Amino acid sequence: MKLNKKKLSNIVGQDLIGLGYKKFEDGFFGSDGLFIKQVSEGLFLTLGLTISRFYESSFTGSYYLSKSTRWGAVWGDIPKESYKRISFFITDEEKKSLFDEADKLEGVRDAWWDAFNTNSVMRFLHAVRLSEKRFVEQPMLIQNVENSIDGNMLAEYISTVHSVFNIAGDIKHDFKFIPPNPIKNIPIEWFKAAELAIIKNGSILNANTVKLLAADAWFVSKMNL
């Protein structure tokens, strides 16, 4: 039986929600399951799941810490340490009981778990519990995220979307890059606000940048409820 996004979400979703995450359907940032929690005011921890392309039931997860929910965005001066696999924060001693057999070899840092094996899934969840705090508390990580020019630019774009969201539908504008229909349950008004925000900030405007900014701003709005 081949693993897919829906099956993976059904298998681990409720447990991750129990750990304080909110679940989102990701059709934007490349994950096979997106879970987000707020670390502090304006700072978000995103856990993205990845399904193996080579093994039918294997999956892993990576953390991303940012003022944005764009899982894996590490361009410019956004710190590379803000995007890391869970397994890199598990000690050699811990991996003896938390990693599947093939990943226990000396020197192996990356790890994958079997979604159709209950014990393997429980090991994955235990790895999340152990590694989350270690990831967030990497030396200087939060300070470097806070000081990132490119990261703060993403946050500014999100803020602009939120500012214009309520009036976007009333603005007389020939929208060129909004989708014909909502995507992943995100209302069209968010895409309109994103297009206007990009124009206001003088950034690159196309269908993809509008889609990504709309999703980012919408996810952040849901975290602030």
Side-chain angles (χ1 to χ4, degrees), residues 160-171:
T160 305
V161 173
H162 290 169
S163 295
V164 303
F165 170 72
N166 290 325
I167 62 172
D170 298 324
I171 293 177

Side-chain angles (χ1 to χ4, degrees), residues 121-166:
V121 170
M122 296 308 294
R123 290 197 295 271
F124 164 76
L125 294 168
H126 192 187
V128 171
R129 293 185 188 96
L130 287 175
S131 60
E132 180 187 296
K133 189 169 185 286
R134 297 170 186 176
F135 167 77
V136 173
E137 293 183 352
Q138 291 179 85
M140 298 294 292
L141 175 59
I142 291 178
Q143 182 175 336
N144 289 338
V145 168
E146 292 283 359
N147 293 335
S148 168
I149 294 172
D150 291 296
N152 282 312
M153 187 178 298
L154 288 176
E156 180 60 32
Y157 289 170
I158 292 168
S159 179
T160 305
V161 173
H162 290 169
S163 295
V164 303
F165 170 72
N166 290 325

